Amino acid sequence: MAGSATALAKLALGASDPVDFGINFTSFDPGVKRTIHDANGTRGTFWKDANRMSTDRTIVAPRLSSEPTAPELAKILEWAMGGTPTGSTTKTYVWSDTPLARNLHFKPIAGEEWFLESVAVDQLTLSAQTGGGLSCELDGVGLTYESDRDDFPAITYDQTLQPFLLSQLVLTVGGVARKCRSFSLSIMGGIDRDRFLNSPTLTALQRLSAGFGVTFDVPSGDNGSQFWASGLAGAALNAVFTNASGAALTIAIANMKWEADSPVHAPGSEGFTTVSAQALRVSTATPVTITLSQGS
């Protein structure tokens, strides 16, 4: 077959080589770049010479978009949070200050096959909007790559369970059920992308920071006249997506704060309050608790 039809590409994730878990994806970019250092100076000509052009760094920064089912989301959450999940039927995803490294293997129908080694999640955003599903946008940072593989393993993909939809969300903020037209949770892993220490590749996957952010917008008329400013004092949030397969994703935040912005009343539309909040630690607990049951 001529060409490289993206719709026929395959992607898999794993802790070792070969990888062992297939990912149904919307888009994927290996994000590999080899940079050139230009040492051409001033020497009586406009033209550059090849001897002063040297390969400098190899950057591995893949990007993944998908609308995952519960088994796919389970793998992604464990990868992003970094710790070993607890529980059996319903699992809680545990934060670790040490990033979790995974390998990615990408096979288009033609062209280079990409094997990305030791990739950590720099940021994961789970989001959903009216009329749509819960999408995953993942930015990774890896150490090395291979682009000459031809050994993509035999992988099975989930052909049974359903993804999640915004219409399946039950959102509670400040102890009151809220309607919303969009919702997102961001997990910021804070990976150091510049740790090229006398090396053409990253020398380690190291966190410099971390955080959780949540964004949603609610109709101002349904939430009381002062909801827009209630984030100054702080509020708890509980978001539960229960899909058609019976799987349940729960996001619980004990305390979050947001700056008070007045509702937007665009001409010809309903007024909406947009909340963009930071999740805050209560005692020694991680600011966000994420659990997932697999359903059937």
Side-chain angles (χ1 to χ4, degrees):
M1 178 181 291
S4 182
T6 300
L8 296 177
K10 297 178 181 179
L11 178 67
L13 169 74
S16 58
D17 183 5
V19 294
D20 57 5
F21 188 84
I23 297 290
N24 184 317
F25 64 97
T26 306
S27 66
F28 180 75
D29 176 7
V32 175
K33 181 177 182 179
R34 297 174 65 186
T35 65
I36 292 176
H37 175 69
D38 184 353
N40 277 284
T42 302
R43 65 223 180 279
T45 179
F46 288 124
W47 317 125
K48 294 183 179 182
D49 296 316
N51 68 303
R52 291 183 173 271
M53 307 283 283
S54 305
T55 302
D56 181 17
R57 295 182 302 166
T58 297
I59 297 167
V60 180
R63 301 196 71 183
L64 165 67
S65 297
S66 71
E67 293 189 27
T69 62
E72 293 164 347
L73 184 57
K75 292 288 185 181
I76 291 169
L77 286 172
E78 179 181 2
W79 187 19
M81 294 290 282
T84 301
T86 61
S88 53
T89 304
T90 298
K91 291 190 175 182
T92 300
Y93 293 87
V94 178
W95 177 261
S96 172
D97 289 341
T98 301
L100 182 64
R102 288 289 183 257
N103 297 329
L104 286 166
H105 197 155
F106 176 61
K107 175 181 171 56
I109 194 64
E112 291 87 0
E113 224 173 273
W114 296 89
F115 190 87
L116 311 181
E117 299 181 45
S118 297
V119 178
V121 177
D122 190 30
Q123 181 162 320
L124 172 67
T125 299
L126 301 175
S127 62
Q129 298 184 7
T130 297
L134 182 70
S135 68
C136 156
E137 302 291 332
L138 187 150
D139 289 338
V141 178
L143 297 183
T144 59
Y145 78 97
E146 296 176 55
S147 59
D148 56 356
R149 300 282 289 261
D150 61 357
D151 57 350
F152 191 89
I155 293 288
T156 58
Y157 293 84
D158 184 0
Q159 295 179 292
T160 304
L161 301 178
Q162 297 283 317
F164 299 86
L165 305 174
L166 181 69
S167 59
Q168 299 161 339
L169 169 64
V170 176
L171 177 65
T172 304
V173 182
V176 178
R178 311 285 180 178
K179 297 180 175 64
C180 68
R181 64 181 179 185
S182 68
F183 177 87
S184 72
L185 171 74
S186 292
I187 302 171
M188 283 78 80
I191 306 298
D192 187 353
R193 291 174 176 256
D194 295 315
R195 206 172 194 275
F196 293 89
L197 307 181
N198 56 289
S199 169
T201 59
L202 281 179
T203 54
L205 297 171
Q206 178 172 282
R207 295 198 197 280
L208 297 179
S209 62
F212 297 90
V214 63
T215 301
F216 56 92
D217 54 0
V218 295
S220 60
D222 288 355
N223 290 280
S225 60
Q226 296 304 312
F227 176 76
W228 71 279
S230 59
L232 297 175
L237 175 144
N238 197 65
V240 182
F241 290 86
T242 305
N243 70 14
S245 301
L249 168 67
T250 300
I251 299 164
I253 302 175
N255 190 26
M256 61 183 185
K257 287 181 179 284
W258 65 87
E259 294 182 343
D261 288 321
S262 58
V264 175
H265 295 265
S269 65
E270 183 177 1
F272 272 81
T273 295
T274 297
V275 170
S276 184
Q278 298 181 62
L280 308 173
R281 186 173 67 163
V282 174
S283 185
T284 60
T286 302
V288 176
T289 300
I290 302 173
T291 62
L292 178 65
S293 66
Q294 290 294 311
S296 59

